[in-house]
């Protein structure tokens, strides 16, 4: 900034050799920001087209410009700041605060995709997102879980010992294939649900979107590794039952964010934590064991967010537990006529726990699957109790959960 005998309330700027659109506009705008409405900026510069381009720019921005008087050199023109230039931001508002603790209680449609904490110019299009209330989606765990999830991503090609040597009897390998087929089916539902929930949420609540996006990426990776293990020794997948698909379809049919999170993450994926621990313990080969371990780590985060979100929402919605109960009962009634867990999957789990076809081994395998179901029930009861359900009601709701586990 230089001075060329400008009066008080005025300013001057020397643009040097810069053309207006070659960086000079930034210097000019900076100088104008330093004078009040009606104030004047004396503009010097050596670009031959400066006055022509300056005139066009001022017309577009609402300022006025006049050529310099003879003997005013090196001033080329004088720009008077318009009083309407600042009016563009009249009515502007901050879209909450940038940090997680300063997210607004409600995200306004006209904020659209503005960054949280940005000064949002009035006007412009409204962008509709079904979920705009903070309490409907929020959990104070979301920022920390997202950081953990981002740091814990693993590469399916390097994290699993695909080349580890092992040989299994054909019947045991077929059991692994059947369980993997079942897991793929369930993980595809677990991929679709968070992806569908994600697009409902206003991006103002970005930590929730980030966490749901990573959750969907987790599930996509799980589908990949379960499929790859199923086809590791052959090219034929297992069976898919009508009852299993019907059970998963009810998850896709739930439109409410909290109820869908409850059915999928708290009850379904919560039960799968027990199943994955079972598979890691009874895996007949190192590949299956490693996959089960890695996937269980991911699913633990999904369950933690689901529980954390519902604990948060229960504080502001005293009717939530009644709605959760109704969702469980509604799903149970919808599946009353189905056969539950695919018998091929149940038999495969018994064989994997048994490790052989000896009658006493199969008896032990059957008992292990019974314990698995009991562990699932205990885990569901514990999570339901965290959400405020009395012990007797938690036990009742746990028993109503789908026999397909997810």
């Amino acid at each position: 900034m230089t001075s060329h005998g400008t009066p008080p309330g005025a300013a001057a700027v020397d643009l040097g050799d810069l053309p207006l659109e070659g960086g000079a506009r930034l210097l000019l705008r900076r100088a104008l920001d330093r004078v009040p409405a009606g104030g004047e900026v004396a503009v010097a510069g050596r670009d031959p087209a400066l006055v022509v381009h300056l005139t066009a720019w001022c017309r577009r921005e609402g300022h006025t410009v006049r050529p310099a008087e003879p003997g005013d050199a090196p001033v080329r023109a004088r720009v008077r700041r318009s009083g309407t230039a600042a009016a563009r931001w009249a009515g502007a508002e901050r879209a909450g605060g940038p940090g997680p603790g300063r997210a607004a209680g409600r995200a306004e449609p006209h904020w659209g995709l503005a960054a949280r904490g940005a000064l949002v110019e009035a006007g412009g299009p409204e962008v509709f997102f079904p979920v705009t209330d903070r309490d409907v989606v929020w959990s104070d765990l979301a920022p920390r879980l997202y950081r953990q999830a981002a740091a814990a991503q693993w590469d399916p090609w390097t994290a699993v010992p695909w080349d580890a040597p092992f040989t299994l009897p054909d019947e045991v390998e077929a059991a692994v294939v059947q369980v993997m087929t079942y897991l793929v089916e369930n993980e595809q539902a677990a991929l679709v649900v968070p992806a569908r929930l994600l697009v409902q949420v206003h991006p103002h609540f970005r930590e929730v979107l980030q966490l749901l996006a990573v959750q969907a990426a987790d599930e996509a990776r799980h589908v990949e590794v379960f499929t790859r293990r199923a086809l590791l020794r052959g090219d034929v997948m297992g069976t898919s039952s009508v009852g299993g698909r019907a059970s998963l379809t009810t998850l896709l049919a739930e439109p409410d964010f909290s109820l869908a999170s409850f059915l999928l993450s708290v009850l379904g994926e919560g039960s799968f934590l027990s199943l994955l621990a079972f598979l890691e313990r009874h895996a007949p080969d190192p590949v299956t064991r490693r996959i089960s371990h890695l996937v269980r780590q991911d699913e633990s985060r999904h369950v933690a967010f689901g529980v954390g979100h519902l604990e948060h929402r229960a504080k502001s919605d005293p009717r939530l537990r009644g709605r959760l109960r109704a969702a469980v009962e509604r799903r149970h009634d919808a599946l009353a006529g189905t056969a539950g867990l695919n018998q091929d999957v149940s038999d495969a789990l018994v064989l994997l726990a048994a490790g052989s076809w000896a009658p006493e081994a199969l008896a032990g395998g059957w008992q292990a699957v019974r314990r698995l179901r009991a562990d699932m029930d205990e885990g569901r009861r514990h999570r339901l109790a965290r959400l405020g359900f009395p012990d007797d009601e938690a036990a009742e709701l746990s028993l109503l959960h789908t026999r397909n586990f997810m």
Side-chain angles (χ1 to χ4, degrees):
M1 188 78 67
T2 60
S3 174
H4 302 289
T6 53
V13 63
D14 190 340
L15 307 180
D17 294 320
L18 291 175
L20 195 66
E21 295 301 327
R25 179 173 53 83
L26 300 178
L27 292 173
L28 178 58
R29 190 184 296 279
R30 181 168 177 255
L32 286 167
D33 286 343
R34 295 181 176 183
V35 299
E40 196 172 76
V41 174
V43 182
R46 293 182 289 276
D47 177 28
L50 175 61
V51 175
V52 173
H53 292 164
L54 188 59
T55 301
W57 182 81
C58 287
R59 185 183 305 116
R60 184 171 69 246
E61 295 291 316
H63 306 299
T64 57
V65 61
R66 59 186 175 85
E69 300 292 336
D72 234 1
V75 174
R76 301 277 303 280
R78 294 184 181 274
V79 176
R80 184 176 299 277
R81 181 179 178 181
S82 169
T84 61
R88 171 183 176 185
W89 297 101
E93 61 181 311
R94 291 285 175 186
R102 297 173 62 192
R106 183 177 187 277
E108 299 297 336
H110 64 267
W111 291 354
L113 301 175
R116 193 169 68 214
L119 182 62
V120 181
E121 182 181 5
E126 293 191 350
V127 183
F128 176 75
F129 292 94
V131 180
T132 57
D133 290 335
R134 182 178 187 269
D135 288 337
V136 172
V137 297
W138 193 253
S139 168
D140 290 334
L141 291 174
R144 177 165 59 86
L145 288 175
Y146 170 68
R147 291 194 298 271
Q148 292 176 355
Q153 295 300 291
W154 45 274
D155 182 354
W157 289 86
T158 59
V160 179
W162 299 109
D163 297 329
F166 68 87
T167 301
L168 299 179
D170 290 345
E171 296 92 340
V172 175
E173 176 64 23
V176 173
V177 170
Q178 179 58 64
V179 172
M180 293 297 120
T181 302
Y182 164 78
L183 291 173
V184 168
E185 189 171 88
N186 283 267
E187 294 294 75
Q188 288 180 158
L191 165 60
V192 171
V193 172
R196 181 173 57 81
L197 295 178
L198 189 156
V199 299
Q200 296 182 26
V201 180
H202 196 293
H204 182 78
F205 309 110
R206 64 172 185 265
E207 292 83 1
V208 175
L209 262 67
Q210 291 167 328
L211 191 58
L212 289 173
V214 175
Q215 183 171 335
D218 288 343
E219 305 297 2
R221 188 170 57 244
H222 301 169
V223 170
E224 176 185 350
V225 295
F226 288 143
T227 301
R228 188 170 176 183
R229 173 59 189 94
L231 301 177
L232 193 61
R233 293 290 189 265
D235 60 358
V236 177
M237 300 290 282
T239 63
S240 169
S241 69
V242 169
R245 296 197 307 279
S247 177
L248 296 176
T249 299
T250 60
L251 293 176
L252 306 185
E254 178 53 68
D256 181 88
F257 184 95
S258 294
L259 299 187
S261 298
F262 173 65
L263 295 176
L264 173 67
S265 297
V266 178
L267 296 181
E269 290 178 311
S271 299
F272 260 53
L273 293 180
S274 298
L275 176 59
L276 292 165
F278 174 94
L279 292 174
E280 184 177 3
R281 185 164 56 251
H282 296 292
D285 62 87
V287 175
T288 301
R289 186 174 303 110
R290 179 62 174 165
I291 288 173
S292 300
H293 176 77
L294 291 170
V295 171
R296 190 172 189 272
Q297 289 181 325
D298 292 342
E299 298 292 354
S300 295
R301 291 193 305 273
H302 306 170
V303 174
F305 173 68
V307 173
H309 159 63
L310 291 165
E311 285 180 319
H312 173 88
R313 187 162 189 192
K315 295 176 183 177
S316 61
D317 183 0
R319 300 174 300 172
L320 178 65
R321 278 184 285 275
R323 295 174 58 223
L324 297 179
R325 179 186 181 92
V328 173
E329 294 172 340
R330 188 165 57 246
R331 189 181 186 206
H332 177 266
D333 292 344
L335 298 173
T338 64
L341 184 67
N342 184 348
Q343 189 63 55
D344 292 339
V345 176
S346 181
D347 291 346
L349 292 174
V350 170
L351 181 55
L352 291 180
S356 80
W357 287 98
E360 61 274 15
L362 289 174
W366 184 76
Q367 289 294 343
V369 173
R370 283 193 64 187
R371 287 194 296 273
L372 167 62
R373 293 178 183 271
D375 288 343
M376 289 179 171
D377 177 57
E378 182 180 352
R380 289 193 297 268
R381 292 188 191 196
H382 173 72
R383 286 183 288 276
L384 287 165
R386 282 189 56 181
L387 298 181
F389 287 99
D391 289 345
D392 57 343
E393 191 172 1
E396 179 187 354
L397 292 178
S398 178
L399 291 177
L400 292 178
H401 180 63
T402 172
R403 290 165 290 173
N404 192 51
F405 299 163
M406 181 69 83

